[in-house]
Amino acid sequence: MSDKKYVNVFEFEDEAKKNLTNNAYTYYRSGANAEHTLRDNIDAYSRIKLNPYVCAGLKDIDLTTTVLGQKLSIPIGIAPSAMHRMATPRGELTTVTAAKKVGTIYTLSSLATTNMEDVAKEQPDALRWFQLYIAKDRKITEVMVREAERLGYRAIAVTVDAPYLGIREGDERNKFTLPPHLKLEILESFKKEFAVKGKEGSGLFEMFKDQIDPAMSWEDIKWLKSFTKLPVILKGIQNGEDALRAAQLGVHIWVTNHGGRQLDTVRSTIDMLPEVMHAIKDYRNTVEVYVDGGIRRGTDVLKCLALGAKCVFIGRPLLFSLAAEGEQGVLKMFELFEKEMKVAMMLLGAGKISDLGLKHLVKATIPVSNL
Amino acid sequence: MSDKKYVNVFEFEDEAKKNLTNNAYTYYRSGANAEHTLRDNIDAYSRIKLNPYVCAGLKDIDLTTTVLGQKLSIPIGIAPSAMHRMATPRGELTTVTAAKKVGTIYTLSSLATTNMEDVAKEQPDALRWFQLYIAKDRKITEVMVREAERLGYRAIAVTVDAPYLGIREGDERNKFTLPPHLKLEILESFKKEFAVKGKEGSGLFEMFKDQIDPAMSWEDIKWLKSFTKLPVILKGIQNGEDALRAAQLGVHIWVTNHGGRQLDTVRSTIDMLPEVMHAIKDYRNTVEVYVDGGIRRGTDVLKCLALGAKCVFIGRPLLFSLAAEGEQGVLKMFELFEKEMKVAMMLLGAGKISDLGLKHLVKATIPVSNL
Amino acid sequence: MSDKKYVNVFEFEDEAKKNLTNNAYTYYRSGANAEHTLRDNIDAYSRIKLNPYVCAGLKDIDLTTTVLGQKLSIPIGIAPSAMHRMATPRGELTTVTAAKKVGTIYTLSSLATTNMEDVAKEQPDALRWFQLYIAKDRKITEVMVREAERLGYRAIAVTVDAPYLGIREGDERNKFTLPPHLKLEILESFKKEFAVKGKEGSGLFEMFKDQIDPAMSWEDIKWLKSFTKLPVILKGIQNGEDALRAAQLGVHIWVTNHGGRQLDTVRSTIDMLPEVMHAIKDYRNTVEVYVDGGIRRGTDVLKCLALGAKCVFIGRPLLFSLAAEGEQGVLKMFELFEKEMKVAMMLLGAGKISDLGLKHLVKATIPVSNL
Amino acid sequence: MSDKKYVNVFEFEDEAKKNLTNNAYTYYRSGANAEHTLRDNIDAYSRIKLNPYVCAGLKDIDLTTTVLGQKLSIPIGIAPSAMHRMATPRGELTTVTAAKKVGTIYTLSSLATTNMEDVAKEQPDALRWFQLYIAKDRKITEVMVREAERLGYRAIAVTVDAPYLGIREGDERNKFTLPPHLKLEILESFKKEFAVKGKEGSGLFEMFKDQIDPAMSWEDIKWLKSFTKLPVILKGIQNGEDALRAAQLGVHIWVTNHGGRQLDTVRSTIDMLPEVMHAIKDYRNTVEVYVDGGIRRGTDVLKCLALGAKCVFIGRPLLFSLAAEGEQGVLKMFELFEKEMKVAMMLLGAGKISDLGLKHLVKATIPVSNL
Ligand SMILES: Cc1cc2nc3c(=O)[nH]c(=O)nc-3n(C[C@H](O)[C@H](O)[C@H](O)COP(=O)(O)O)c2cc1C
Ligand SMILES: Cc1cc2nc3c(=O)[nH]c(=O)nc-3n(C[C@H](O)[C@H](O)[C@H](O)COP(=O)(O)O)c2cc1C
Ligand SMILES: Cc1cc2nc3c(=O)[nH]c(=O)nc-3n(C[C@H](O)[C@H](O)[C@H](O)COP(=O)(O)O)c2cc1C
Ligand SMILES: Cc1cc2nc3c(=O)[nH]c(=O)nc-3n(C[C@H](O)[C@H](O)[C@H](O)COP(=O)(O)O)c2cc1C
């Protein structure tokens, strides 16, 4: 176990880079096309200003919260991301163990390099969610969901922002493919055509086009709701209109642009959030809203929660801390978020998650030109 | 034939540079004066955010469209640009062949290094348009238009943003001139004073001042309409007032700032487009609007179409792909646009060109300061 | 005594760097986390434009002003900052002497490396204020305040923006600690647990968490007011709501974000000031407002005063000029501010401090787009 | 005579730098303090967009205009600038000769290194104006004005933005002083205390403080008007309020911030102009408005004129072209402006100066977010 100290979440990336092949590092890091949205996901947070209240009389800070009825130690879940065995030998098994230790949600990706059962067995009591891509062959999808239920996954996050895979130029250049000793264990366990082999351009792009159904529609969401008892979450909602539609179907909402990896020049997620919250305001008792994308600072988390998100999720920080130091890296990364959040909430004058609200964001700075 | 793979349209420029003289490369690349507009033509696209809808149930994407009654395989035409023989030995013959294979419009420039007839013969069935500069000697202009009609060109695009040629500083420095073995075949076939010889500053600038009529006016447009049956397009419209005037005369509108090569510090073309669309709203059944300038991404095309353009045109991407790999380069460049557009439309939730509309652009991001 | 000439306040930093250990320099320079607010504190001033009036008929400029009934030679006080003996051998004794010579306020930090009595004895007649952190053990706080009264300090500035210490990444990396030959003389004279020893991360961060009371509240302010006759100032007010609350309790207001060292991504202080002034408008006869943060230019001072601040304070310019050349450095630094202010007021058309007002700031530049 | 070709006005600076001492180059180049306004004077022009009209039917372009009843060949005058003999051996004699050849205004600075009479004799028929600083000793000022009248200067431009000289840090560092073989011939011919000798910091700053009257006021303007028949212009007006006051006294208005050399963080001049034009709208028949600052492009000139300025003035372009190649350099520089203006007006659709108006500026680009 390394005794390297990290002073912020960004620093795991440098360490990770040392341990990853260029093929893997590029796959983890990249965004779609010119990566405008990838950058904006991060930059947008510095445009939003916090509004601190003093003399708040807070003894300490409580970061716990409740998501879909389950208690989390910190309002930061692990977003689904593919292929953890490229980052660390035991891959998803390491991740689920870290999530259990932290006390937060682990969302297992359909594109994992470990199968659903092994992950479940590794940490039966972990707060596991399952992320679903809807296959052209709906039978496969149905069986997968039933399997998730059987293995104690607590929610189904259907990814709706990826009818096609986005074009990531680095992966095109590298003709990205899974290292030969690894497999998409979950998908291939259902059908072996799901393999990722790079020939022309990105192999993942090709597999997607062949096997995942771009024609997935709102009807499929109803169908899913019809046969599973698990809460359903739509991961990929990006505007108020779709958010309302989701809420009306009784599914939860995960605001994301897939970490800037799908459609370039869409808004940063934090810029989408106010519109989404506004659209579903009549459903706030029954529908939860989550958000991910570019969250690297304790203050980023607070801004999302102040706008109304129930919790946030992280993608690359998980991957890079995992690649840097395995389970230990993930724990260190969460400790950093915890410390930053606690200090920031103390300075903001908010003692617990439910205290956070719009008042903690600067709504109107009076410019001199308006005096 | 090279097997070099390009992952985006920008990459052709580097390859082209290797094959071009500095004289030619500078001529192709440059914009007017400080090149503010040249840069802004490109930058403006990243300021406009796409608004994707999920669960759209699309099986695949249809990029075909209809322009002036003709079917295109993709809503991207080839803008007129001068002197293709500096880029590739057979010059415009190569371009027209590529256009035919792609299934899109090729606009032949008045300043071509191949004459109208040879281009026509090379691809009699290609969707050829002819770009016209109005000469001081109107007789020449009239004969040229008749010749275009005779040779099966399908429309006349009159360039109205170039009463004088803009000042491109690189060409001034290089004293730009055509290589001695080339000629402005079209113009010189009508009158040999159209030759481009650099003495003081840019030779093209001087030829223009001598031979092209700066005093061209709306009367000339009426005159043109009076004797040709071909559709007339005004290439160079840059605001709503002129657009309305054009629409009232029954001519089509090509919004362009000539690729930032004429008047520096005018708006980017995508910033002109809403005003133009608004101005001609009563004529949208009869008048088509096209736009060019800085289009390098599939998403750029979608933004133009969502605002109401019928199709877009590209200048430098054609020249650089032509210089990089001749016909092959042009085909590869169009394939890239096609792939980017298809992925983007799938992610946007629009299955065909006519589905695109304002709803696919972010109209109002609620800033935190407005909550 | 060095005869080095400085042409602006920024230049002291380079000189200081030569004389400081990396440990000390980093501590002085740093801001919290990504240092957005640190940078914005400075940048914000260049966004505010001055509006000069000509032909003002001013013979000369009078910079004197009155703060809490005391006359200052210049409306720039010295903000409290910790540990001056890291900058210069006699530390706070040098600072208080310089302040006396300049004729302005010196605010002694609780975290000084010289005790309250020695500072008082060094310059009994200096305009000394005392900055207070509220200790977990309130007895200590009470004794400290009584001591300040006894020793002729003229006001108590309670720092309210630091229930926890902000995270300064440089200090975390350096495991910041006081050099062994130095002590927090004031705090340790009351209780020796206040020592700063770096183990894991910043030693100051740890001392703070152990000894300073994060639960400090508005009740404590009332309690303080109840037993001291000295004017009380809340240092750390950052919005209008808290400002009003302070004004209602009859305490003065020091708008600051602690030099960008506490909560990152809060507004620059000059962006907070209009909201604060507006909120306390009914109390402007009794409550004074001060501001600090990023003030490096004579024009920065004028902008604060034009918005309604009674005077400004400086942190790092004091530390860097002190480290550069001790007392002499501080005097040179104030001379620079004096010269810049006098020239700027002459050019602005304002002859004395009380002439400054909103009219000297550009309220509305008519953009061409509004003509 | 050099046959070096310049393709834009900026290029003279590089050439000038080769011929100038560092002392002189820095003096010419610098702006006040952090040079925010210096930079913004130039940058502001690229924020204003031109709005071109096509098919304007213009044969050629007429750049002539009338200022104070005198015909200019081009609407660009020469602003007063000090000490031309640092740039070229015959100094102001060369400048006035160039101005005569160009057919435009030459404003002789009070700080010239050639006396008023020699300049007048060199070019008796040139359109000469005289720039005045009001000396502490008003007698000197009065005599100077009478001398200007006697020698055929056609207007008095009183500089009102320099009660003190601005702080230019480069000059402070260089302890700027006139080279020993040169003198402020005009001022010293009236009183020898006007000499510029650098001791501590800038020598010009010190001379100013000693000899020029900061207490100059609107009364002095009335006094000036009372005894001279020459038109009076206030050079340094920076807002609408002062502009109105000037107009009411019947003097003309020169909007300038002294090339960013006086008060830093004032607006760029082009950002001041709309407010000034609006304020004096009832006086537009009798009062002329000029503007200078950062004008380097033909399009910059057009933007000023479109907003209502009668003509513009240039400072550094004159100095740098003069230092680059003497008279020849100045003529080349004006030729560049002439070419850029002619091309730009042709492309804009404006055939003569009086055609220019607000319609040639983009007033409202409809952002997508407003559709
Ligand atoms: C390397 C990588 C792989 C990903 N794989 C998936 C996936 O399999 N399924 C999915 O729904 N999202 C996937 N995502 C998106 C993440 O769930 C999440 O939305 C995104 O990473 C959040 O942005 P961040 O990386 O800036 O935190 C992936 C993201 C990355 C970076
Ligand atoms: C090298 C070059 C030559 C051009 N020649 C012509 C021309 O002869 N006639 C014309 O109307 N437009 C001409 N154009 C303008 C193009 O038709 C088109 O408006 C512009 O290139 C679009 O911008 P883009 O290059 O950013 O795609 C030329 C553009 C370039 C770059
Ligand atoms: C090194 C350093 C130490 C500081 N120590 C204290 C302190 O002990 N108490 C306090 O109230 N503020 C402290 N401050 C904050 C200053 O009082 C002041 O608010 C801030 O420095 C102003 O910003 P400026 O440095 O940009 O001028 C400190 C600031 C610095 C830079
Ligand atoms: C080196 C230099 C000397 C100047 N001397 C004078 C002067 O003696 N009197 C005056 O009124 N303005 C003076 N000015 C200001 C100019 O008249 C003019 O306002 C300014 O240079 C315009 O900005 P520009 O240099 O960006 O064109 C001077 C400017 C420069 C650059």
Side-chain angles (χ1 to χ4, degrees), chain B residues 169 173 242 265 267 363, chain D residues 8 11 54 297 303 365 369:
Chain B
E169 301 190 352
R173 271 186 206 103
D242 277 354
T265 75
R267 286 178 284 185
K363 272 173 293 261
Chain D
N8 64 47
E11 293 187 340
V54 298
R297 290 281 178 190
K303 290 168 188 177
T365 281
S369 56

Side-chain angles (χ1 to χ4, degrees), chain A residues 7-8 11 46 49-55 57-58 297 303 339 343 346-347 362 365-366 368-369 371, chain C residues 33 36 160 164 169 172-173 205 214-218 236 238-239 241-242 262 265 267 271 307 358 363:
Chain A
V7 309
N8 64 47
E11 292 188 341
S46 62
K49 301 300 175 196
L50 289 171
N51 190 32
Y53 291 82
V54 297
C55 301
L58 303 169
R297 290 281 178 190
K303 289 168 188 178
K339 180 173 175 181
V343 172
M346 190 57 96
L347 299 180
V362 172
T365 281
I366 309 176
V368 169
S369 56
L371 290 178
Chain C
N33 301 101
H36 287 290
V160 292
Y164 277 2
E169 300 189 353
E172 297 279 322
R173 272 186 205 103
F205 185 88
M216 195 264 288
S217 77
W218 292 100
Q238 296 179 64
N239 62 39
E241 233 175 288
D242 278 353
Q262 289 293 98
T265 75
R267 288 177 284 185
D271 282 340
L307 283 169
L358 285 177
K363 271 172 294 263

Side-chain angles (χ1 to χ4, degrees), chain A residues 33 36 160-161 164 169 172-173 205 214-218 236 238-239 241-242 262 265 267 307 358 363, chain B residues 7-8 11 46 49-55 57-58 297 303 339 343 346-347 362 365-366 368-369 371:
Chain A
N33 302 101
H36 288 290
V160 292
D161 61 8
Y164 277 2
E169 301 190 352
E172 296 280 321
R173 274 186 204 103
F205 184 88
M216 194 264 289
S217 77
W218 292 100
Q238 295 177 64
N239 61 40
E241 233 176 286
D242 278 354
Q262 289 293 99
T265 76
R267 286 178 286 185
L307 283 169
L358 285 177
K363 271 172 294 263
Chain B
V7 309
N8 64 47
E11 293 188 340
S46 61
K49 302 300 175 196
L50 289 171
N51 191 32
Y53 292 83
V54 297
C55 301
L58 302 170
R297 289 282 177 189
K303 290 169 188 178
K339 180 172 176 182
V343 173
M346 191 56 97
L347 299 180
V362 172
T365 280
I366 309 177
V368 169
S369 56
L371 290 177

Side-chain angles (χ1 to χ4, degrees), chain B residues 62-78 99-100 102-106 126-129 154 288 290 305 310-313 334 353:
Chain B
D62 177 4
L63 294 183
T64 61
T65 193
T66 300
V67 171
L68 295 181
Q70 306 284 328
K71 182 130 183 201
L72 308 191
S73 68
I74 190 167
I76 307 176
I78 296 174
K100 178 72 183 69
V102 170
T104 191
I105 300 160
Y106 169 44
L127 197 41
R128 287 171 286 109
W129 289 5
R154 320 264 184 107
E288 297 191 349
Y290 321 118
L305 304 185
K310 198 75 187 131
C311 80
V312 308
F313 286 86
F334 271 99
I353 298 302

